[in-house]
Amino acid sequence: MTPTPQLSLGLLLTGAAGFVDVVGFIELGGHFTSFMSGNITQLGDALALGAWPVARITASLVVLFLLGSIAGSTLALMAGPRWGSAAVTGLVVATFTLTLVLAFLGFSPNQFMLTMAAGAGAQNAILPSTGSVRLGTTFVTGTLFATGQDLARAIYRLAPPWRWAQHLLVWLSLLLGGLLGGLGYRVMGINVLLVPGAVYLGFLVAFVVRRPSKVVP
């Protein structure tokens, strides 16, 4: 089982990811900043149909997500256990800042939302793996499967009886974040990204202030 404090942090980060992905989905007219399975499916369809504008934006989102994942993972390794989470969160905050600056300068969503894809890729490296639940990730397809798998295993007493519920909570946090993102976008437009941006900034401050004084293997 994943300890409750770590689970709470992961749920908040996953909710923020769902918030951002819905905003990106609206701005991009049906493409995603973090759900790469959906983008890859659309890319295959676009290539088959010769829909080159769709292929270009979906391929760009996938590439930026991958680059963000590489950058976030590299930062986490370079900064080490004490500073890794802060360093990666700082990168995510930087992508939010750049996205809003580009939007303010009049760039199109197909341009400024690419930085959000990079930030989504980086976010998956913020929290180290703790327990069996994947924390703070921007995608939950595997988590939804893990819910069913652990529930089945719990029935046969092959897994902790309530571990499946932790997986389900991660999935629900993404759903709730998406709901809030959609509602917020109707009121604030692209400026609604200030809300999850503030959440990540809060995480950054907390990681810096409350970093562990020593690393326990």
Side-chain angles (χ1 to χ4, degrees):
M1 297 284 285
T2 300
T4 300
Q6 288 89 336
L7 180 63
S8 300
L9 293 178
L11 293 177
L12 186 55
L13 282 173
T14 301
F19 193 114
V20 173
D21 206 26
V22 164
V23 174
F25 182 82
I26 297 170
E27 283 284 332
L28 292 168
H31 307 302
F32 303 93
T33 57
S34 63
F35 180 46
M36 291 301 113
S37 296
N39 286 336
I40 291 170
T41 301
Q42 292 181 347
L43 175 59
D45 180 63
L47 292 174
L49 297 176
W52 307 122
V54 174
R56 183 167 56 251
I57 183 59
T58 51
S60 297
L61 289 165
V62 171
V63 169
L64 265 294
F65 183 91
L66 175 60
L67 292 177
S69 300
I70 295 170
S73 299
T74 301
L75 270 178
L77 291 171
M78 291 176 60
R82 289 189 63 189
W83 292 102
S85 293
V88 180
T89 307
L91 174 60
V92 174
V93 170
T95 64
F96 270 84
T97 303
L98 181 58
T99 296
L100 290 171
V101 168
L102 292 176
F104 177 77
L105 292 176
F107 285 79
S108 72
N110 285 6
Q111 296 171 314
F112 65 73
M113 290 308 296
L114 292 178
T115 59
M116 281 287 87
Q123 177 179 326
N124 297 287
I126 290 179
L127 294 180
S129 297
T130 305
S132 62
V133 181
R134 300 189 66 184
L135 299 176
T137 57
T138 62
F139 47 88
V140 294
T141 302
T143 300
L144 192 58
F145 168 74
T147 301
Q149 182 184 52
D150 262 1
L151 179 57
R153 290 174 60 84
I155 293 172
Y156 285 91
R157 298 183 180 181
L158 297 174
W162 291 104
R163 191 171 67 186
W164 64 270
Q166 291 189 332
H167 297 296
L168 185 62
L169 284 174
V170 174
W171 179 81
L172 288 173
S173 69
L174 189 78
L175 175 62
L176 178 60
L179 172 62
L180 295 176
L183 293 174
Y185 186 87
R186 295 174 61 183
V187 178
M188 299 176 62
I190 190 63
N191 292 323
V192 78
L193 286 178
L194 290 170
V195 176
V199 171
Y200 291 114
L201 184 59
F203 267 91
L204 175 59
V205 172
F207 284 139
V208 170
V209 172
R210 302 188 62 182
R211 71 188 188 281
S213 58
K214 62 179 180 179
V215 177
V216 179

